[in-house]
Amino acid sequence: MTTWQLLTTDWDLEPSVLLGCAGLLGAYALALRGRFTKGTLLFVAGVLVLLLSLVSPIDTIGDAYLFSVHMLQHLLLVLAVPPLLLLGTPANFFTEILNRPLLSRIERVLRQPALAWVLGTGAVWVWHLPALYNAALADEGVHIIQHLSFLATATIFWWPVLAPLHNHRMASLGGVGYLFAAAMASSALGIILTFAPPGLYPAYLRPLDSLGVLPLLRDGWGLTPQVDQQVGGLLMWVPGSLVYLCALLATLARWYAEPEAEDEVSGVNYEF
């Protein structure tokens, strides 16, 4: 099998995933009542990334052959999908939801930065412990729970800095520290995975080659078990941390612009 054949034929069009993504788009269209906004493209992009990560060869290769591809999938679920969905959802959608007292109380608790940070970063660390990670590879039910927990806790993590309701976001300076700490946690986990001996996740040492692609992955792509694990660790260490750092820079830019925005509202002009 060639790389092109692998990437174009090994798609798993799981009905539950297709229906879930269609449901997200349908609910979004109903919420907007046909009035599309600038955020619509972001929301649609988030759904497409979710779909791609779960039905494309990323899912099959990551589950059965390569830790590095599985890591890529996890990073998409944690660092791409939730931010895109939050940035693309209009504020009035959440205003209506949070008018319900119970949901409002739950949101007030979950948006506390300390709790949101621990849930978001903790889920990534806990699910990469060998015992739980290997359990997810061995049992599809556990694997589904893993993915759902990534999406849920990552959404909670990003809410204090990207909530569509701006008054529900944490202060910009606090957001800088919040995101910097997340970047450091991502780097630390990436470093551990990069330098750990191969075999941390035994399923990737000698995978059952039901698709006949192992020669391509080992010889064509050069991904021996050791290199595969190192690449996976590096993905968490470098690109993963960079996402947090880019969000940090955007938060700094917003903080820098805040006094300017306040001056415009008050009509004060400090130019001489």
Side-chain angles (χ1 to χ4, degrees), residues 144-235:
I144 291 171
I145 292 171
Q146 181 193 57
H147 286 174
L148 291 175
S149 70
F150 279 149
L151 289 169
T153 57
T155 301
I156 293 169
F157 171 88
W158 286 107
W159 182 267
V161 289
L162 296 179
L165 299 169
H166 287 201
N167 61 328
H168 288 220
R169 295 180 181 181
M170 64 193 303
S172 296
L173 192 57
V176 170
Y178 182 89
L179 292 165
F180 181 78
M184 293 302 98
S186 178
S187 294
L189 179 57
I191 290 169
I192 291 171
L193 295 172
T194 300
F195 293 105
L200 198 61
Y201 309 116
Y204 294 117
L205 290 176
R206 287 176 292 277
L208 179 64
D209 190 14
S210 58
L211 298 177
V213 299
L214 198 57
L216 170 67
L217 303 178
R218 294 287 190 249
D219 302 327
W221 293 12
L223 291 174
T224 64
Q226 181 174 4
V227 172
D228 175 41
Q229 185 172 304
Q230 290 172 341
V231 171
L234 285 169
L235 284 173

Side-chain angles (χ1 to χ4, degrees), residues 24-25 28-29 32 35-48 80-92 94 162 164 169:
L24 279 174
L25 292 175
Y28 185 79
L32 289 182
R35 298 189 300 273
F36 296 119
T37 68
K38 290 185 292 184
T40 301
L41 289 178
L42 293 174
F43 190 92
V44 172
V47 175
L48 289 178
V81 175
L84 287 170
L85 296 182
L86 287 176
L87 289 170
T89 304
N92 66 324
F94 288 107
L162 296 179
R169 295 180 181 181

Side-chain angles (χ1 to χ4, degrees), residues 22-175:
L24 279 174
L25 292 175
Y28 185 79
L30 287 174
L32 289 182
R33 298 179 178 89
R35 298 189 300 273
F36 296 119
T37 68
K38 290 185 292 184
T40 301
L41 289 178
L42 293 174
F43 190 92
V44 172
V47 175
L48 289 178
V49 172
L50 176 62
L51 183 66
L52 179 69
S53 67
L54 295 177
V55 304
S56 76
I58 290 174
D59 185 63
T60 305
I61 298 171
D63 288 355
Y65 291 96
L66 295 178
F67 169 70
S68 54
V69 176
H70 208 176
M71 179 63 78
L72 172 62
Q73 182 186 53
H74 290 173
L75 292 177
L76 291 174
L77 295 177
V78 171
L79 300 180
V81 175
L84 287 170
L85 296 182
L86 287 176
L87 289 170
T89 304
N92 66 324
F93 176 76
F94 288 107
T95 300
E96 294 177 10
I97 290 177
L98 295 179
N99 280 335
R100 296 170 174 81
L102 177 60
L103 294 178
S104 179
R105 286 197 294 272
I106 293 172
E107 188 270 343
R108 280 199 301 271
V109 171
L110 293 179
R111 79 166 186 250
Q112 298 303 310
L115 177 59
W117 193 95
V118 169
L119 288 175
T121 59
V124 175
W125 271 79
V126 167
W127 276 111
H128 284 87
L129 293 173
L132 284 178
Y133 193 100
N134 293 327
L137 290 177
D139 187 289
E140 184 61 23
V142 177
H143 205 173
I144 291 171
I145 292 171
Q146 181 193 57
H147 286 174
L148 291 175
S149 70
F150 279 149
L151 289 169
T153 57
T155 301
I156 293 169
F157 171 88
W158 286 107
W159 182 267
V161 289
L162 296 179
L165 299 169
H166 287 201
N167 61 328
H168 288 220
R169 295 180 181 181
M170 64 193 303
S172 296
L173 192 57

